Amino acid sequence: MDTSLFHDLGLLDCVIFKRIEPTKYEVLYNAQDWLFELLPETKSQKSFRFAQNSLYLEDFLIDAEALWISKQPGSVDSGIWSETLPSRELLQLEASAMVCNQQEYLVIHKLKDKFTQKQQTLQIARELLLSNDKITEQHEHLHAQMDELLSQSERTKAFQQPIINALEQTDLGVAILDSNLQLVKGNPALQTLFNDTHIALKLPVDRLILELFKKQYPEYDRVFSTRSAWTGELCWLNPPEQGKWLKVAIHPIKNADQALQYWMFSVSDVTQIKFLLKRNEKLTHFDVLTDLPNRQYFWQQLENKIKKNRPFYLLYIDIKNFKRINEVHGHLIGDQLIKDLAKRLQSVTRVDDYIARIGGTEFAIIMETDYFRKQFASTDQGQCKTFVQELIRASELPFYLESGSQCEIGLNVGASAFPTDSNDAEELMKYADLAVFAAKKQVKSSLEFYSKKLVDASLKRIEMEDALQKAVTNKQFELFLQPIIDISSSKIVKAETLIRWRLSDGSIIAPDEFIPLAEQTGLIVPIGKWVIAEACRFLNELKKTHQEIKLSVNLSPRQVADRQLLDFIKTTLTQQDISPELLELELTEGVLIDNYDKVHYLLTELRTLGISVSIDDFGTGYSSLSYLQKLPIDHIKIDRSFTMSIQDNEQDQGGNSAIILAVIAMAKSLKLGVIAEGVETDSQKEFLLRNQCHIAQGYLFSRPLPFNEFCKLLNTKN
């Protein structure tokens, strides 16, 4: 047989068989002694049958037979496996079955060089993962440290020695910019980032980083307009030399009132890591952790897809609640979760779709529509929604950790459409990014499509956030009080504090409209502190008139996570000379579960002070019996949706009345007080009385009142 073709193709270190009939083969090419050691049945025979001397090969032949029977042109590979010969030589082998010109072939490669290269690739990948985790932890630690120091500094001149020391001691380059992105302070490491290039920069380092970010990422405008954090890699080209890669983390630093005070850029040189990547073609184009295409390679594929001029959706996917998983379980568990999620997403994507990992917690998918159409059809958006729901369902299944515990995540998904929204790759990414940012505002996993309406809503949200920030600064809030009544005696036993936002024109914005925004932006922390301070001031005023009554204040998830909350409460009580027994704090069921460790510590400390605790909106979405038993809680409040469903005719009562009775019975067994919210009719009041729930609030007794009106009502009732 002429072996010149095999020489030309570099296939000398292999053997080739032709399949004559099922289980029967002929040796076409063999120049290897190892074949006869491994498969002695092939020696000195024109045709042969495998004698099960290699179990791995026998197993692969099952898959190969399916290909050969189909007669369809193509190939299937076995993957690399190891064999030890009688001579003790260790082989790394890979088999390929193929169909070509209606003939079936089996090729077995000896892969010493390829195996060594793969092992080297895996080692590089492991080193890169470790390096990346270490760099990420450095950035996060520095951010937490600087956030603590800078948030306490109201002016540039407040840069004291601890801040200067922190900047000088870190290996990361750090730039502190003001709210207008002008440099306030840079550390020595920032200035030395480009010293090894021997080229004078045309811009200061902080301006260069901003320019690179603006040119290379569509997210630029959104990050700064919404005051969001961002992490990614920037490439500085320096032809004809190699250039430089920088890992950059951008964080907004806010003061106690959550007003933007500084931007902090932390920068590390990852050029050496990128150099290692370039030595291996696979690692150049594919993400080390998930083995998916990376951002750069995805961008190429996106531009290629646009050139084909066929409609598609670009999906931008961000993992929901991932930061908390990293904080609780560590980066190694976080990496494993991302790896497992990537497999789940891949299992859902179709053969014509294209998926990549484009950031730390971000994936992107090019979702194909009907290949033979040049425009979208009315059904395409519905298909996109169905596909995304499949992605979300796959992501929301529990992830089981090695420790035996489990964690759950969700997905934020933004979608832009080619060519409907744009025919430019950068704009499509920008629009999908805006859409996923809108999706993040939802509590649960969700999909948002880019639209003009979405942009208008985003602009309106930014305007409202600015107005809310001014309201925090100028204290444009009022605190109303809604009485909580002992319905058996009609006396006011305590009151719930309810905030209102009064605009300059005198109109009032209800909390349902601005509290969710305050929670999302962090403004709830200063607003919550104002509410606590104002409630304590009210208690002080009541004390002067010898009317001591307990006031209840709502705590949000962000407030529970605030490290300064406990000290603030202690200080405020002391300043107003108020007994802690006169203050009650309300938490929702969701806060108990989502922040259990923090809640347990906080409630224990509050109980030690003498402050009581109630659980608001009980029964609306969680099964919290175990938490009620473990946590120091005094009261549970039956959600208004159950109370308001009570009908005038007792025979018409549905399942909600049964829930109320169950809650009352459970509370009694746990020795907890019960408060019914939303009481609006006499029949609801009578139902509660008959079933031993004596404490209630609602419009039947009083609407929320300004402090002076509440005092008048208190005088008449008590």
Side-chain angles (χ1 to χ4, degrees), residues 301-327:
Q301 298 304 312
L302 177 59
E303 291 178 333
N304 290 338
K305 191 68 70 174
I306 288 172
K307 290 176 183 177
K308 294 180 180 179
N309 198 28
R310 300 290 181 181
F312 64 83
Y313 278 105
L314 172 60
L315 303 179
Y316 198 129
I317 301 170
D318 184 68
I319 305 175
K320 209 170 189 68
N321 303 324
F322 187 76
K323 183 179 179 182
R324 184 166 177 267
I325 290 172
N326 262 349
E327 290 174 348

mmCIF file of all heavy atoms in Angstrom, residues 301-327:
data_model
loop_
_atom_site.group_PDB
_atom_site.id
_atom_site.type_symbol
_atom_site.label_atom_id
_atom_site.label_comp_id
_atom_site.label_asym_id
_atom_site.label_seq_id
_atom_site.Cartn_x
_atom_site.Cartn_y
_atom_site.Cartn_z
ATOM 1 N N GLN A 301 -17.984 35.325 16.507
ATOM 2 C CA GLN A 301 -19.114 34.550 16.001
ATOM 3 C C GLN A 301 -20.350 35.427 15.809
ATOM 4 O O GLN A 301 -21.129 35.222 14.866
ATOM 5 C CB GLN A 301 -19.442 33.399 16.964
ATOM 6 C CG GLN A 301 -18.323 32.391 17.128
ATOM 7 C CD GLN A 301 -17.886 31.788 15.803
ATOM 8 O OE1 GLN A 301 -18.719 31.354 15.003
ATOM 9 N NE2 GLN A 301 -16.590 31.787 15.562
ATOM 10 N N LEU A 302 -20.531 36.399 16.701
ATOM 11 C CA LEU A 302 -21.663 37.324 16.577
ATOM 12 C C LEU A 302 -21.552 38.139 15.294
ATOM 13 O O LEU A 302 -22.536 38.304 14.555
ATOM 14 C CB LEU A 302 -21.719 38.250 17.807
ATOM 15 C CG LEU A 302 -22.812 39.328 17.815
ATOM 16 C CD1 LEU A 302 -24.196 38.689 17.727
ATOM 17 C CD2 LEU A 302 -22.692 40.196 19.071
ATOM 18 N N GLU A 303 -20.355 38.646 14.997
ATOM 19 C CA GLU A 303 -20.157 39.420 13.770
ATOM 20 C C GLU A 303 -20.337 38.547 12.529
ATOM 21 O O GLU A 303 -20.898 38.979 11.512
ATOM 22 C CB GLU A 303 -18.779 40.074 13.783
ATOM 23 C CG GLU A 303 -18.670 41.182 14.837
ATOM 24 C CD GLU A 303 -17.291 41.811 14.889
ATOM 25 O OE1 GLU A 303 -16.304 41.113 14.532
ATOM 26 O OE2 GLU A 303 -17.200 42.996 15.275
ATOM 27 N N ASN A 304 -19.872 37.295 12.609
ATOM 28 C CA ASN A 304 -20.071 36.372 11.485
ATOM 29 C C ASN A 304 -21.554 36.083 11.263
ATOM 30 O O ASN A 304 -22.026 35.975 10.132
ATOM 31 C CB ASN A 304 -19.326 35.058 11.736
ATOM 32 C CG ASN A 304 -17.817 35.222 11.668
ATOM 33 O OD1 ASN A 304 -17.319 36.174 11.047
ATOM 34 N ND2 ASN A 304 -17.082 34.325 12.299
ATOM 35 N N LYS A 305 -22.292 35.956 12.369
ATOM 36 C CA LYS A 305 -23.723 35.672 12.266
ATOM 37 C C LYS A 305 -24.463 36.850 11.626
ATOM 38 O O LYS A 305 -25.386 36.652 10.816
ATOM 39 C CB LYS A 305 -24.282 35.408 13.656
ATOM 40 C CG LYS A 305 -25.697 34.852 13.680
ATOM 41 C CD LYS A 305 -25.784 33.454 13.133
ATOM 42 C CE LYS A 305 -25.133 32.457 14.054
ATOM 43 N NZ LYS A 305 -25.331 31.070 13.592
ATOM 44 N N ILE A 306 -24.038 38.066 11.946
ATOM 45 C CA ILE A 306 -24.662 39.255 11.361
ATOM 46 C C ILE A 306 -24.440 39.286 9.848
ATOM 47 O O ILE A 306 -25.334 39.654 9.080
ATOM 48 C CB ILE A 306 -24.109 40.526 12.034
ATOM 49 C CG1 ILE A 306 -24.661 40.631 13.463
ATOM 50 C CG2 ILE A 306 -24.465 41.775 11.239
ATOM 51 C CD1 ILE A 306 -24.040 41.739 14.278
ATOM 52 N N LYS A 307 -23.248 38.879 9.404
ATOM 53 C CA LYS A 307 -22.934 38.889 7.977
ATOM 54 C C LYS A 307 -23.852 37.958 7.186
ATOM 55 O O LYS A 307 -24.108 38.186 6.005
ATOM 56 C CB LYS A 307 -21.475 38.482 7.768
ATOM 57 C CG LYS A 307 -20.467 39.531 8.242
ATOM 58 C CD LYS A 307 -19.041 39.021 8.086
ATOM 59 C CE LYS A 307 -18.043 40.035 8.637
ATOM 60 N NZ LYS A 307 -16.654 39.526 8.552
ATOM 61 N N LYS A 308 -24.364 36.911 7.837
ATOM 62 C CA LYS A 308 -25.263 35.973 7.144
ATOM 63 C C LYS A 308 -26.649 36.562 6.928
ATOM 64 O O LYS A 308 -27.448 36.027 6.163
ATOM 65 C CB LYS A 308 -25.366 34.672 7.936
ATOM 66 C CG LYS A 308 -24.053 33.895 7.983
ATOM 67 C CD LYS A 308 -24.202 32.605 8.775
ATOM 68 C CE LYS A 308 -22.897 31.838 8.813
ATOM 69 N NZ LYS A 308 -23.009 30.580 9.600
ATOM 70 N N ASN A 309 -26.954 37.660 7.643
ATOM 71 C CA ASN A 309 -28.190 38.420 7.443
ATOM 72 C C ASN A 309 -29.448 37.565 7.632
ATOM 73 O O ASN A 309 -30.392 37.641 6.858
ATOM 74 C CB ASN A 309 -28.203 39.071 6.058
ATOM 75 C CG ASN A 309 -29.223 40.200 5.981
ATOM 76 O OD1 ASN A 309 -29.535 40.836 6.975
ATOM 77 N ND2 ASN A 309 -29.754 40.433 4.785
ATOM 78 N N ARG A 310 -29.433 36.755 8.690
ATOM 79 C CA ARG A 310 -30.605 35.965 9.065
ATOM 80 C C ARG A 310 -31.020 36.373 10.471
ATOM 81 O O ARG A 310 -30.168 36.620 11.322
ATOM 82 C CB ARG A 310 -30.297 34.469 9.027
ATOM 83 C CG ARG A 310 -29.860 33.958 7.670
ATOM 84 C CD ARG A 310 -31.000 33.960 6.669
ATOM 85 N NE ARG A 310 -30.565 33.436 5.382
ATOM 86 C CZ ARG A 310 -31.352 33.340 4.326
ATOM 87 N NH1 ARG A 310 -32.609 33.730 4.408
ATOM 88 N NH2 ARG A 310 -30.892 32.858 3.176
ATOM 89 N N PRO A 311 -32.331 36.460 10.760
ATOM 90 C CA PRO A 311 -32.767 36.954 12.075
ATOM 91 C C PRO A 311 -32.353 36.031 13.218
ATOM 92 O O PRO A 311 -32.354 34.810 13.081
ATOM 93 C CB PRO A 311 -34.294 37.011 11.941
ATOM 94 C CG PRO A 311 -34.620 36.068 10.838
ATOM 95 C CD PRO A 311 -33.464 36.115 9.889
ATOM 96 N N PHE A 312 -32.001 36.641 14.354
ATOM 97 C CA PHE A 312 -31.686 35.872 15.564
ATOM 98 C C PHE A 312 -31.876 36.757 16.785
ATOM 99 O O PHE A 312 -31.944 37.988 16.680
ATOM 100 C CB PHE A 312 -30.251 35.326 15.518
ATOM 101 C CG PHE A 312 -29.177 36.384 15.509
ATOM 102 C CD1 PHE A 312 -28.726 36.987 16.684
ATOM 103 C CD2 PHE A 312 -28.601 36.787 14.308
ATOM 104 C CE1 PHE A 312 -27.738 37.948 16.660
ATOM 105 C CE2 PHE A 312 -27.608 37.757 14.274
ATOM 106 C CZ PHE A 312 -27.173 38.341 15.454
ATOM 107 N N TYR A 313 -31.972 36.127 17.935
ATOM 108 C CA TYR A 313 -31.996 36.836 19.219
ATOM 109 C C TYR A 313 -30.637 36.706 19.884
ATOM 110 O O TYR A 313 -30.039 35.621 19.883
ATOM 111 C CB TYR A 313 -33.057 36.255 20.160
ATOM 112 C CG TYR A 313 -34.457 36.760 19.900
ATOM 113 C CD1 TYR A 313 -35.397 35.959 19.273
ATOM 114 C CD2 TYR A 313 -34.836 38.043 20.284
ATOM 115 C CE1 TYR A 313 -36.678 36.408 19.024
ATOM 116 C CE2 TYR A 313 -36.121 38.503 20.044
ATOM 117 C CZ TYR A 313 -37.036 37.677 19.417
ATOM 118 O OH TYR A 313 -38.300 38.139 19.177
ATOM 119 N N LEU A 314 -30.167 37.795 20.434
ATOM 120 C CA LEU A 314 -28.973 37.768 21.271
ATOM 121 C C LEU A 314 -29.434 37.805 22.722
ATOM 122 O O LEU A 314 -30.078 38.766 23.156
ATOM 123 C CB LEU A 314 -28.076 38.974 20.973
ATOM 124 C CG LEU A 314 -26.877 39.168 21.916
ATOM 125 C CD1 LEU A 314 -25.963 37.963 21.869
ATOM 126 C CD2 LEU A 314 -26.112 40.433 21.565
ATOM 127 N N LEU A 315 -29.129 36.757 23.472
ATOM 128 C CA LEU A 315 -29.531 36.650 24.874
ATOM 129 C C LEU A 315 -28.332 36.911 25.775
ATOM 130 O O LEU A 315 -27.289 36.273 25.629
ATOM 131 C CB LEU A 315 -30.095 35.254 25.169
ATOM 132 C CG LEU A 315 -31.273 34.796 24.313
ATOM 133 C CD1 LEU A 315 -31.696 33.398 24.724
ATOM 134 C CD2 LEU A 315 -32.440 35.760 24.433
ATOM 135 N N TYR A 316 -28.485 37.845 26.673
ATOM 136 C CA TYR A 316 -27.453 38.181 27.658
ATOM 137 C C TYR A 316 -27.952 37.644 28.998
ATOM 138 O O TYR A 316 -29.014 38.034 29.468
ATOM 139 C CB TYR A 316 -27.280 39.701 27.706
ATOM 140 C CG TYR A 316 -25.998 40.200 28.324
ATOM 141 C CD1 TYR A 316 -25.203 41.133 27.658
ATOM 142 C CD2 TYR A 316 -25.590 39.782 29.581
ATOM 143 C CE1 TYR A 316 -24.041 41.619 28.214
ATOM 144 C CE2 TYR A 316 -24.430 40.256 30.143
ATOM 145 C CZ TYR A 316 -23.658 41.183 29.452
ATOM 146 O OH TYR A 316 -22.505 41.659 30.016
ATOM 147 N N ILE A 317 -27.199 36.746 29.614
ATOM 148 C CA ILE A 317 -27.652 36.026 30.810
ATOM 149 C C ILE A 317 -26.732 36.334 31.990
ATOM 150 O O ILE A 317 -25.514 36.249 31.869
ATOM 151 C CB ILE A 317 -27.665 34.506 30.550
ATOM 152 C CG1 ILE A 317 -28.596 34.180 29.379
ATOM 153 C CG2 ILE A 317 -28.075 33.736 31.796
ATOM 154 C CD1 ILE A 317 -28.479 32.752 28.907
ATOM 155 N N ASP A 318 -27.331 36.693 33.106
ATOM 156 C CA ASP A 318 -26.565 36.958 34.328
ATOM 157 C C ASP A 318 -27.119 36.094 35.460
ATOM 158 O O ASP A 318 -28.337 35.938 35.593
ATOM 159 C CB ASP A 318 -26.652 38.440 34.702
ATOM 160 C CG ASP A 318 -25.788 38.769 35.898
ATOM 161 O OD1 ASP A 318 -24.557 38.708 35.763
ATOM 162 O OD2 ASP A 318 -26.335 39.069 36.974
ATOM 163 N N ILE A 319 -26.212 35.518 36.258
ATOM 164 C CA ILE A 319 -26.641 34.650 37.365
ATOM 165 C C ILE A 319 -27.178 35.502 38.509
ATOM 166 O O ILE A 319 -26.535 36.449 38.953
ATOM 167 C CB ILE A 319 -25.471 33.786 37.872
ATOM 168 C CG1 ILE A 319 -24.858 32.990 36.732
ATOM 169 C CG2 ILE A 319 -25.951 32.842 38.965
ATOM 170 C CD1 ILE A 319 -23.619 32.208 37.126
ATOM 171 N N LYS A 320 -28.336 35.135 38.997
ATOM 172 C CA LYS A 320 -28.984 35.882 40.079
ATOM 173 C C LYS A 320 -28.465 35.400 41.437
ATOM 174 O O LYS A 320 -28.270 34.205 41.647
ATOM 175 C CB LYS A 320 -30.494 35.655 39.990
ATOM 176 C CG LYS A 320 -31.349 36.792 40.504
ATOM 177 C CD LYS A 320 -32.798 36.564 40.133
ATOM 178 C CE LYS A 320 -33.633 37.806 40.456
ATOM 179 N NZ LYS A 320 -33.299 38.948 39.597
ATOM 180 N N ASN A 321 -28.192 36.348 42.332
ATOM 181 C CA ASN A 321 -27.806 36.049 43.723
ATOM 182 C C ASN A 321 -26.475 35.295 43.833
ATOM 183 O O ASN A 321 -26.245 34.584 44.816
ATOM 184 C CB ASN A 321 -28.897 35.230 44.433
ATOM 185 C CG ASN A 321 -30.234 35.913 44.424
ATOM 186 O OD1 ASN A 321 -30.304 37.141 44.529
ATOM 187 N ND2 ASN A 321 -31.298 35.158 44.285
ATOM 188 N N PHE A 322 -25.591 35.452 42.842
ATOM 189 C CA PHE A 322 -24.356 34.674 42.873
ATOM 190 C C PHE A 322 -23.357 35.226 43.900
ATOM 191 O O PHE A 322 -22.588 34.457 44.491
ATOM 192 C CB PHE A 322 -23.708 34.662 41.486
ATOM 193 C CG PHE A 322 -22.516 33.744 41.399
ATOM 194 C CD1 PHE A 322 -22.691 32.378 41.318
ATOM 195 C CD2 PHE A 322 -21.222 34.246 41.431
ATOM 196 C CE1 PHE A 322 -21.607 31.517 41.263
ATOM 197 C CE2 PHE A 322 -20.131 33.403 41.374
ATOM 198 C CZ PHE A 322 -20.322 32.040 41.282
ATOM 199 N N LYS A 323 -23.358 36.514 44.110
ATOM 200 C CA LYS A 323 -22.404 37.111 45.052
ATOM 201 C C LYS A 323 -22.553 36.501 46.445
ATOM 202 O O LYS A 323 -21.562 36.218 47.123
ATOM 203 C CB LYS A 323 -22.600 38.627 45.123
ATOM 204 C CG LYS A 323 -21.599 39.320 46.034
ATOM 205 C CD LYS A 323 -21.819 40.821 46.049
ATOM 206 C CE LYS A 323 -20.820 41.495 46.989
ATOM 207 N NZ LYS A 323 -21.030 42.962 47.063
ATOM 208 N N ARG A 324 -23.804 36.265 46.836
ATOM 209 C CA ARG A 324 -24.036 35.704 48.169
ATOM 210 C C ARG A 324 -23.486 34.281 48.272
ATOM 211 O O ARG A 324 -22.977 33.866 49.320
ATOM 212 C CB ARG A 324 -25.535 35.717 48.484
ATOM 213 C CG ARG A 324 -25.853 35.231 49.896
ATOM 214 C CD ARG A 324 -27.276 35.570 50.288
ATOM 215 N NE ARG A 324 -27.549 35.027 51.603
ATOM 216 C CZ ARG A 324 -28.094 33.837 51.823
ATOM 217 N NH1 ARG A 324 -28.403 33.072 50.810
ATOM 218 N NH2 ARG A 324 -28.320 33.410 53.042
ATOM 219 N N ILE A 325 -23.576 33.504 47.177
ATOM 220 C CA ILE A 325 -23.033 32.142 47.178
ATOM 221 C C ILE A 325 -21.531 32.176 47.379
ATOM 222 O O ILE A 325 -20.965 31.389 48.147
ATOM 223 C CB ILE A 325 -23.414 31.423 45.870
ATOM 224 C CG1 ILE A 325 -24.907 31.134 45.872
ATOM 225 C CG2 ILE A 325 -22.617 30.130 45.698
ATOM 226 C CD1 ILE A 325 -25.440 30.597 44.571
ATOM 227 N N ASN A 326 -20.849 33.104 46.695
ATOM 228 C CA ASN A 326 -19.404 33.249 46.881
ATOM 229 C C ASN A 326 -19.071 33.633 48.315
ATOM 230 O O ASN A 326 -18.095 33.153 48.896
ATOM 231 C CB ASN A 326 -18.855 34.307 45.919
ATOM 232 C CG ASN A 326 -18.257 33.684 44.665
ATOM 233 O OD1 ASN A 326 -18.063 32.474 44.601
ATOM 234 N ND2 ASN A 326 -17.965 34.495 43.686
ATOM 235 N N GLU A 327 -19.872 34.525 48.890
ATOM 236 C CA GLU A 327 -19.603 34.985 50.253
ATOM 237 C C GLU A 327 -19.790 33.853 51.266
ATOM 238 O O GLU A 327 -19.011 33.707 52.204
ATOM 239 C CB GLU A 327 -20.542 36.150 50.605
ATOM 240 C CG GLU A 327 -20.223 37.444 49.851
ATOM 241 C CD GLU A 327 -21.258 38.520 50.113
ATOM 242 O OE1 GLU A 327 -22.324 38.195 50.688
ATOM 243 O OE2 GLU A 327 -21.019 39.677 49.737
#
